[in-house]
């Protein structure tokens, strides 16, 4: 597992590499929170291209970061969401709070 | 129904065994040629139950988690057992968004995920003795 970041304007792209489960989620959470406190982004975009598997542990990580960012008025979105992750996302009701976009540009611009 | 095949797996309640456990079950049921989605559903449900055994059952103390998987025609039956603290009120525990550990950023959606991804989920638990989750799913005909 590793996590890399890219800043685009005042948005932070978070690229997670590997499975997101209870074993990996604590390290992922720390890496992201560290970067958020350094960059203080206006919005965050989770790039899930290299996430092969995610369970409810990942939902906890995403909702936790969503809460932080939305307190400051920012949005959280996701790109490159594979079917397994999409199903977990939908069952957990994340579509109400986190947009899924089909490209990075659309996510950066907040276009549906 | 006749049992066509069975496997049993036992491992320590360490979080690094979560991916091992779901991969072993996936490899075992691959003999039924499930679709990619069916395989992913079972993996996700197993991951939820194993994670619950580790964080809630044993609360990160060491114990053993046991998985028994059976194949009956196109149905898989998976039992995941811990000898941990047990669940006092199963009905409450199964409700969406209920979690006893919100401080760990758990979302309380594990049981809902298991119920959505499997055809049947049975929970049996005795406080201070442990918990067994029995789940079934029938794969589409080939
Ligand atoms: N094996 C178990 N032993 C003891 N208690 C359990 C066990 N499995 C579940 N529970 C109890 O049931 C509750 C609900 O479980 P569920 O998986 O739905 O949510 P969670 O684990 O708290 O959060 P999430 O799965 O979304 O990370 C848990 O918070 C816990 O109190
Ligand atoms: Mg759980």
């Amino acid at each position: 597992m590793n996590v890399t970041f890219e800043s685009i304007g005042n948005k932070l792209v978070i690229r997670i590499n590997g499975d997101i489960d209870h074993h990996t989620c604590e390290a992922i959470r720390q890496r992201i929170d560290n970067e958020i406190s350094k960059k203080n982004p206006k919005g965050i975009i989770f790039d899930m291209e290299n996430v092969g598997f995610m369970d409810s542990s990942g939902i906890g990580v995403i909702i936790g970061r969503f809460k932080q960012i939305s307190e400051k008025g920012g949005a959280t979105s996701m790109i490159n969401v594979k079917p397994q992750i999409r199903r977990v996302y939908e069952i957990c009701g994340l579509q109400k709070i986190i947009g899924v976009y089909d490209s990075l540009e659309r996510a950066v611009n907040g276009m549906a | 129904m006749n049992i066509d095949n069975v496997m049993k797996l036992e491992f320590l309640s360490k979080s690094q065994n979560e991916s091992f456990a779901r991969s072993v079950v996936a490899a075992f049921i691959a003999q039924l040629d499930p679709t990619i989605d069916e395989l992913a559903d079972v993996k996700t449900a197993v991951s939820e139950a194993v994670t619950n055994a580790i964080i809630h059952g044993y609360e990160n103390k060491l114990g053993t988690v046991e998985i028994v998987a059976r194949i009956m025609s196109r149905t898989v039956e998976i039992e995941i057992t811990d000898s941990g603290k047990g669940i006092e009120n199963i009905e409450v525990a199964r409700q969406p968004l209920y979690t006893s550990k919100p401080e760990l950023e758990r979302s309380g959606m594990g049981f809902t995920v298991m119920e959505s991804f499997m055809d049947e989920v049975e929970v049996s638990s005795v406080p201070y003795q442990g918990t067994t989750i029995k789940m079934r799913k029938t794969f589409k005909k080939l």
Side-chain angles (χ1 to χ4, degrees):
Chain A
M1 187 283 300
N2 81 347
V3 189
T4 59
F5 303 95
E6 181 189 355
S7 288
I8 301 180
N10 52 18
K11 306 254 166 79
L12 180 67
V13 185
I14 301 166
R15 296 204 168 86
I16 300 167
N17 242 289
D19 291 359
I20 313 178
D21 63 8
H22 162 241
H23 180 61
T24 59
C25 73
E26 194 46 52
I28 293 171
R29 195 185 339 264
Q30 275 174 24
R31 290 269 295 136
I32 298 174
D33 285 354
N34 204 6
E35 193 74 9
I36 288 179
S37 60
K38 267 196 281 186
K39 298 273 164 63
N40 193 27
K42 215 32 203 103
I44 54 174
I45 300 159
F46 284 96
D47 183 347
M48 308 299 275
E49 164 122 61
N50 295 313
V51 180
F53 176 87
M54 183 180 91
D55 63 16
S56 68
S57 305
I59 296 295
V61 172
I62 292 169
I63 293 179
R65 291 340 99 204
F66 160 81
K67 284 185 183 156
Q68 283 184 38
I69 295 297
S70 63
E71 266 170 30
K72 297 179 281 177
T76 299
S77 54
M78 285 166 91
I79 56 170
N80 296 318
V81 179
K82 295 193 191 83
Q84 186 266 337
I85 297 171
R86 180 113 205 176
R87 291 204 57 199
V88 176
Y89 159 96
E90 280 168 6
I91 283 156
C92 296
L94 256 57
Q95 62 273 31
K96 288 176 223 142
I97 53 174
I98 291 159
V100 169
Y101 295 93
D102 54 18
S103 74
L104 181 58
E105 280 98 46
R106 284 170 179 272
V108 169
N109 298 317
M111 297 185 303
Chain B
M1 241 192 282
N2 283 334
I3 295 173
D4 298 318
N5 203 353
V6 189
M7 76 94 179
K8 189 166 157 181
L9 177 71
E10 203 180 275
F11 53 91
L12 273 184
S13 58
K14 292 185 173 230
S15 66
Q16 56 267 48
N17 288 331
E18 290 158 3
S19 68
F20 165 72
R22 61 180 181 258
S23 304
V24 169
V25 173
F28 179 68
I29 64 174
Q31 60 193 279
L32 291 179
D33 279 322
T35 64
I36 291 170
D37 286 346
E38 286 169 336
L39 200 60
D41 286 357
V42 173
K43 264 178 104 165
T44 313
V46 167
S47 194
E48 295 298 345
V50 169
T51 301
N52 280 352
I54 294 172
I55 41 186
H56 303 297
Y58 293 116
E59 296 189 302
N60 296 316
K61 291 187 283 287
L62 278 188
T64 52
V65 180
E66 189 190 279
I67 301 182
V68 178
R70 297 181 192 90
I71 291 174
M72 294 158 291
S73 183
R74 301 226 19 100
T75 301
V76 291
E77 181 179 84
I78 301 162
E79 266 176 45
I80 297 170
T81 301
D82 67 69
S83 312
K85 71 179 244 186
I87 304 174
E88 247 173 64
N89 190 331
I90 294 172
E91 209 187 310
V92 168
R94 290 179 77 144
Q95 276 166 16
L97 301 174
Y98 172 81
T99 179
S100 53
K101 297 207 182 320
E103 73 282 1
L104 296 182
E105 277 192 353
R106 307 309 305 182
S107 57
M109 294 304 287
F111 275 126
T112 306
V113 167
M114 288 181 246
E115 285 163 6
S116 311
F117 285 12
M118 302 294 283
D119 299 336
E120 280 170 75
V121 178
E122 285 167 29
V123 182
S124 44
S125 187
V126 178
Y128 308 108
Q129 283 185 34
T131 301
T132 296
I133 310 294
K134 192 188 231 180
M135 310 188 273
R136 276 186 216 96
K137 188 178 184 76
T138 302
F139 298 140
K140 286 195 288 290
K141 290 211 179 69
L142 287 176

